[in-house]
Amino acid sequence: MRLVVGLGNPGIEYENTRHNIGYMFLDYITNNQTFIINKKFNAMEYETNVKGEKILFIKPLTFMNLSGESVIKYVNYYKIKISDVLVIQDDLDMEIGKYKLMYNHGDGGHNGIKNIILNLDSREFLRLKIGISKANINTKDYVLGKFNSVEKNVINDVFYQLSNFIYDYVNLNRDLLTGKYNVNGKNNK
């Protein structure tokens, strides 16, 4: 079983905000399937199979800074190996439209990742970072701001480029996956 975590904040007021790119990617990759609320784990979830492997997509309802509280409940209950956890996150330090696959790295100042590392007591999970750029305004206001139409088009293009990512995540080992999605630094900062 694999656990795919899309980071974001619950609530209508946070829909389509930069910080919710993890939620948005899960909606895209699952073709906007209905996620069911799991009150016990404080998350919305959707389950599917890819080539016979069970994939559990979750959107923590804990708010960004406490995402790890939900993630650890799934890991413990389903006995998921930390190496089978994938987190989709926003990244302020990468240009919008760029993405990067990371493994066994620090939190980079991202409070959601910081909380996941704290709860898992490990950094040994895969992260797909999607750039949202940085503006010269208050960070909180920026990440909680909505994408404008130009940015939304760029994000839609990134999602299209990543259309096969989950299939590849299941079928390729970590090195091949990283090589495919971090080709020649093309998608790096």
Side-chain angles (χ1 to χ4, degrees):
M1 174 183 263
R2 310 269 183 126
L3 183 67
V4 179
V5 182
L7 294 185
N9 288 305
I12 295 169
E13 67 271 30
Y14 298 108
E15 285 181 6
N16 296 314
T17 60
R18 293 175 184 92
H19 224 18
N20 272 33
I21 205 156
Y23 276 24
M24 294 165 62
F25 183 69
L26 291 194
D27 288 337
Y28 177 86
I29 209 76
T30 63
N31 294 314
N32 289 306
Q33 294 294 323
T34 301
F35 280 66
I36 298 167
I37 293 177
N38 182 324
K39 290 181 182 178
K40 182 178 177 182
F41 296 159
N42 204 13
M44 295 180 287
E45 63 183 45
Y46 171 74
E47 186 180 308
T48 191
N49 283 289
V50 175
K51 300 269 303 196
E53 175 127 20
K54 186 188 289 189
I55 307 292
L56 192 55
F57 296 96
I58 69 163
K59 298 177 193 177
L61 293 172
T62 54
F63 287 92
M64 180 68 76
N65 295 351
L66 300 175
S67 298
E69 293 177 7
S70 184
V71 172
I72 192 67
K73 290 176 182 178
Y74 281 95
V75 166
N76 288 340
Y77 183 82
Y78 289 104
K79 310 237 182 300
I80 299 169
K81 295 185 291 186
I82 293 174
S83 59
D84 286 336
V85 174
L86 165 67
V87 178
I88 316 298
Q89 70 169 97
D90 62 289
D91 190 296
L92 262 176
D93 295 324
M94 287 174 31
E95 289 178 37
I96 193 163
K98 304 293 184 187
Y99 55 85
K100 187 172 185 179
L101 206 51
M102 306 289 290
Y103 174 75
N104 200 20
H105 280 263
D107 58 59
H110 192 290
N111 289 329
I113 297 297
K114 186 180 295 181
N115 191 258
I116 291 171
I117 291 170
L118 176 71
N119 277 275
L120 294 179
D121 193 27
S122 176
R123 302 179 315 176
E124 295 183 3
F125 55 92
L126 200 57
R127 293 167 32 205
L128 177 61
K129 297 166 59 166
I130 301 175
I132 60 169
S133 295
K134 188 185 287 189
N136 290 330
I137 61 172
N138 177 287
T139 299
K140 180 181 176 186
D141 292 338
Y142 183 73
V143 298
L144 296 179
K146 296 192 184 288
F147 289 107
N148 64 38
S149 60
V150 172
E151 293 170 330
K152 186 73 170 130
N153 286 337
V154 172
I155 293 303
N156 287 336
D157 185 53
V158 168
F159 288 177
Y160 178 77
Q161 291 173 40
L162 294 169
S163 291
N164 292 320
F165 182 78
I166 297 300
Y167 178 83
D168 289 338
Y169 168 61
V170 170
N171 290 295
L172 301 175
N173 70 40
R174 189 176 60 241
D175 292 336
L176 289 174
L177 185 69
T178 302
K180 180 173 182 175
Y181 287 93
N182 293 341
V183 179
N184 298 325
K186 173 183 139 208
N187 289 305
N188 295 333
K189 181 176 169 185

